[in-house]
Amino acid sequence: MKKNIGSNLLWIYIREVSIIFLKVIVLAILSRTIEISDFGLLAIANIFIRFFSVICHKTIDSYVIFVKEKEDFQEKISSAYWLDILLGIFCFIIYLLLIPYYVKAYDSVVVYKQLELVLVILGIQIPLDSLHRVPDAILAKNFTLKKLEIRNTLIRLFTSILSIIMALNGYGIWSIIVPVVSTTLLNVLFSYLMNSWRPKLSFNFSLSGEIIKYSISIIGTNITNILINESDTLIIGKFLGTESLGIYNFSWQTSTIIKRLLSGGVSGLSLPILSKSNDDLKKLTDDFIYITRIIVIISAPILITIAILSDNLILSLYGEKWTKSIVPLSILCVVQLRLLSTSQIIFLNQSIGKPFINFKLNLYVAPLYLVSIFFATRYGIVWVALTATIIRTLFSLVSWKITANLLKQNFYTLISKVYSPLKLALTNGFLLIIIKLN
């Protein structure tokens, strides 16, 4: 299995890293052609969209990966497919009904009509995504990762070029919006072209209870995750304005470049692998540690380097108008490293049929995080970034303690196995600071 994990991860990373420079170029061009306040406007819009998207994302399709391939497997995944579409349509209807109320909450800091139009257009993703989630989950379950990665890479390449062309021709904020919607449409099209599976034109209501029971905890986890992950954006947008939000969100986007490159492939690979191993605790533990260590080995040096050289990166690539994003970027790189490594705990709990663990932990985190971020806004976005880092790090330790108990491992032994590669990355970072100071 380790050989299978390593070969698949290596292939994914090669594909992903091949377009990293293009992603940096896109962000560099957009940062020079789009107003800071427009980044803030998009951040406000994206929170609302993500809240509804995460209700559907990796919920019912995760069940497809988790469920064992028995006699009724085809009937189960067909029922899951139709249930996922119903969920997507339901969320989209509620989304459209709530748009006027959400826009009104921000009418003092953004252009009312512009935000409303942006929300309507971007919201098309919600029902469309439901058309390709289950077919993609079937490919992931069967470890047909090459097809998914080729599709994702080609689509990213096309939409990145589209974004650059639109930005250089003065389309402003639409240089981001149009490629995002295009990505969803292309995902649906290619998903059916490359997958021979087709759903049955029937729905087994007796199976819906099993599907919903598994998915409901993941939905709860996703909703609380969006509250935790986006509360800083919501609060900054409301109390500090779209320009401060634009700076903060820009720092966040830059710090997530590596996270998106890594998590995109790993998140599609982790759950299928861990689900295959869930009946053997030793094998499950070994696979979990192996995947998480690979993430730390690859991401830690890059994120630490970005944190140290954030001033050089911002000024040389994006220009002086983004100077205020330098310190938040350095701080948020620490958050990304933690998110990357602990994200595998979510997949571990899902793979053993206990997604409710993630949900329960988030219920404790969310209130404290929201209150802390609210008070941090009184001192500016740097304090918001610091607060986010501290709270997330403290609760990640709790998450690791729960994981150690599940895997019947000593807490300190598990942490040392996973994070031992961090020592070399920190040493290199320390040497980089000395060189920079000299």
Side-chain angles (χ1 to χ4, degrees), residues 115-164:
L115 177 59
E116 191 170 32
L117 179 60
V118 168
L119 284 169
V120 171
I121 294 175
L122 288 176
I124 297 171
Q125 301 169 80
I126 298 171
L128 287 179
D129 278 335
S130 65
L131 294 173
H132 71 85
R133 276 193 295 264
V134 168
D136 285 359
I138 294 170
L139 290 175
K141 185 181 183 71
N142 296 322
F143 296 98
T144 319
L145 297 171
K146 185 176 180 180
K147 288 184 178 180
L148 286 174
E149 288 306 308
I150 289 175
R151 181 198 71 183
N152 294 340
T153 302
L154 291 175
I155 291 174
R156 285 178 187 174
L157 180 62
F158 170 76
T159 54
S160 295
I161 294 172
L162 176 62
S163 186
I164 291 173

Side-chain angles (χ1 to χ4, degrees), residues 326-345:
I326 292 172
V327 176
L329 171 60
S330 297
I331 297 169
L332 292 173
C333 281
V334 178
V335 176
Q336 298 304 335
L337 179 59
R338 187 206 65 80
L339 288 174
L340 271 168
S341 56
T342 56
S343 64
Q344 300 312 299
I345 294 176

Side-chain angles (χ1 to χ4, degrees), residues 50 52-62 84 87 129 132-133 218-219 222 267 350:
R50 267 181 254 160
F52 288 91
S53 295
V54 298
I55 294 175
C56 311
H57 182 63
K58 293 192 181 300
T59 53
I60 294 175
D61 49 319
S62 292
D84 199 20
L87 179 62
D129 278 335
H132 71 85
R133 276 193 295 264
I218 302 179
I219 292 173
N222 289 348
S267 63
Q350 290 178 9

Side-chain angles (χ1 to χ4, degrees), residues 408-427:
K408 297 182 181 180
Q409 295 281 311
N410 177 272
F411 171 73
Y412 297 103
T413 302
L414 181 62
I415 290 293
S416 64
K417 287 179 180 178
V418 170
Y419 287 104
S420 57
L422 192 59
K423 296 176 184 177
L424 179 60
L426 289 172
T427 302

Side-chain angles (χ1 to χ4, degrees), residues 32 42 63 85 146 173 180 227 248 265 330:
R32 295 175 185 272
L42 281 171
Y63 169 82
I85 289 177
K146 185 176 180 180
I173 195 172
V180 168
L227 288 174
Y248 184 82
S330 297

Side-chain angles (χ1 to χ4, degrees), residues 17-71:
V17 172
S18 66
I19 60 169
I20 186 172
F21 294 109
L22 181 60
K23 293 177 76 69
V24 172
I25 291 170
V26 170
L27 192 55
I29 293 172
L30 292 176
S31 67
R32 295 175 185 272
T33 57
I34 297 177
E35 295 297 324
I36 294 176
S37 58
D38 283 340
F39 275 95
L41 173 66
L42 281 171
I44 292 173
N46 282 331
I47 294 171
F48 192 61
I49 295 161
R50 267 181 254 160
F51 181 81
F52 288 91
S53 295
V54 298
I55 294 175
C56 311
H57 182 63
K58 293 192 181 300
T59 53
I60 294 175
D61 49 319
S62 292
Y63 169 82
V64 172
I65 296 175
F66 163 75
V67 70
K68 299 296 182 183
E69 295 188 34
K70 297 179 180 179
E71 292 181 4

